[in-house]
Amino acid sequence: MLIGDNLASQYPTCILLYNIRRIRPFLSQEATQLLVQSLVILRLDYCNSLLAGLPLRAIRPLQLVQNTAARLIFNLPKFTHVTPLLRSLHWLTVVARIRFKTLMLAYKAKNGPATPYLMAMVKSRAVPRALRPSSTARLEPPSLRTHGRQASRLFSVLAPKWWNELPLGVRTEESLGVFKRRLKTHLFVMHLSTSTGPLFGQCLSS
C-alpha cells in the first residue's frame, strides 16, 4: 500500500463528514460522536502506522479531518479552537495516534503475540548480568548505514527509537491491556497537556 494511497483514501471520509453534518440538527451529541468515531476516526486509524516518520506537512490533511470531526460532534463553527475539544473527547492527535499504533506493534513484536517477520524487526538490548532484562526493557536500534536513505522511516528504526523514549514504567509493563492504557495516557499528556508546551502547531492551525 502506497503512502499516497492512504492519504488519498481520506476523500470518502470527507464525504462522510459532509453527510453527517447534514443530519447533525437531528442528532444528539452522543449519537454524533458514535457516528463520527465509527465512520470517520476508524478510517483515519486504518494502516496509520505506515505514515510513521512523515513530515508534519504530510500529516496535516488527516489532522484537519480530525479537527473537523471534533467540531462537528460539538456542533461548533469552523474556526473554533480544536485542542480543548480533543481533550474533552480524549482523542489523541493524528501524530500521536500514529506513534500509538507503532508502539503497540513494537510491544507485540517484543513480547508477543506478533507475526515472525514483525518480531524479527526488533531486538531487546543486551544488559549487564547484574541487571535483570526487565529493569530497562530497551530495544536495540539497528545500524542506519545498512538501510539506505529512507532508514529513518522504517519500523525497525522508529520502533526502537520511540520505545526507548517511553518512561520506564510504561515500557516494562507486562500486561498488554495495562500497557495500552498507560501508553495512551503518556501520549495524551505529551501531545495535549497544557503543561507540555506548543501543541502540534495548535493542531496544525486547526
Side-chain angles (χ1 to χ4, degrees), residues 166-190:
L166 291 174
L168 181 64
V170 178
R171 66 174 186 264
T172 56
E173 179 53 56
E174 296 181 356
S175 165
L176 176 60
V178 177
F179 172 80
K180 184 176 181 179
R181 291 195 299 272
R182 290 184 175 180
L183 175 60
K184 182 175 180 179
T185 299
H186 168 70
L187 293 176
F188 192 86
V189 172
M190 179 179 172

Side-chain angles (χ1 to χ4, degrees), residues 25-37:
F26 309 102
L27 300 174
S28 66
Q29 181 175 310
E30 293 76 14
T32 306
Q33 182 174 346
L34 181 62
L35 273 177
V36 167
Q37 290 185 166

Side-chain angles (χ1 to χ4, degrees), residues 13 17 36 40-41 44-45 60-73 82 86 89 91-95 97 200 203:
T13 306
L17 280 173
V36 167
V40 176
I41 300 304
L44 288 181
D45 288 341
R60 186 174 187 271
L62 303 183
Q63 185 59 57
L64 294 178
V65 170
Q66 188 189 46
N67 294 351
T68 301
R71 294 190 189 98
L72 179 57
I73 288 173
V82 77
L86 298 182
L89 292 166
W91 284 1
L92 296 172
T93 62
V94 172
V95 165
R97 298 173 90 91
F200 186 31
C203 291

Side-chain angles (χ1 to χ4, degrees), residues 13-205:
T13 306
C14 297
I15 300 298
L16 285 170
L17 280 173
Y18 173 76
N19 288 334
I20 295 173
R21 183 177 296 280
R22 293 179 65 185
I23 62 172
R24 179 63 180 87
F26 309 102
L27 300 174
S28 66
Q29 181 175 310
E30 293 76 14
T32 306
Q33 182 174 346
L34 181 62
L35 273 177
V36 167
Q37 290 185 166
S38 60
L39 298 178
V40 176
I41 300 304
L42 285 180
R43 284 176 173 264
L44 288 181
D45 288 341
Y46 179 69
C47 290
N48 65 354
S49 60
L50 294 175
L51 307 179
L54 285 179
L56 293 183
R57 67 177 180 275
I59 304 299
R60 186 174 187 271
L62 303 183
Q63 185 59 57
L64 294 178
V65 170
Q66 188 189 46
N67 294 351
T68 301
R71 294 190 189 98
L72 179 57
I73 288 173
F74 291 100
N75 205 21
L76 293 173
K78 179 178 180 181
F79 296 105
T80 302
H81 184 45
V82 77
T83 301
L85 308 184
L86 298 182
R87 290 197 195 103
S88 179
L89 292 166
H90 298 282
W91 284 1
L92 296 172
T93 62
V94 172
V95 165
R97 298 173 90 91
I98 292 170
R99 183 174 287 222
F100 176 84
K101 181 70 72 65
T102 302
L103 287 169
M104 286 298 297
L105 290 174
Y107 181 95
K108 293 176 181 179
K110 178 179 180 293
N111 302 301
T115 56
Y117 81 89
L118 196 62
M119 296 178 72
M121 291 184 184
V122 300
K123 179 182 178 182
S124 296
R125 177 176 292 179
V127 297
R129 290 186 178 182
L131 298 175
R132 294 180 300 167
S134 61
S135 63
T136 59
R138 293 183 179 273
L139 297 178
E140 188 69 38
S143 172
L144 296 180
R145 288 180 295 181
T146 61
H147 293 289
R149 294 176 57 188
Q150 302 300 322
S152 62
R153 289 203 55 246
L154 294 175
F155 175 81
S156 59
V157 174
L158 277 178
K161 179 180 182 294
W162 288 348
W163 179 270
N164 293 340
E165 292 172 356
L166 291 174
L168 181 64
V170 178
R171 66 174 186 264
T172 56
E173 179 53 56
E174 296 181 356
S175 165
L176 176 60
V178 177
F179 172 80
K180 184 176 181 179
R181 291 195 299 272
R182 290 184 175 180
L183 175 60
K184 182 175 180 179
T185 299
H186 168 70
L187 293 176
F188 192 86
V189 172
M190 179 179 172
H191 288 266
L192 286 167
S193 171
T194 56
S195 63
T196 56
L199 302 172
F200 186 31
Q202 293 300 322
C203 291
L204 295 178
S205 300

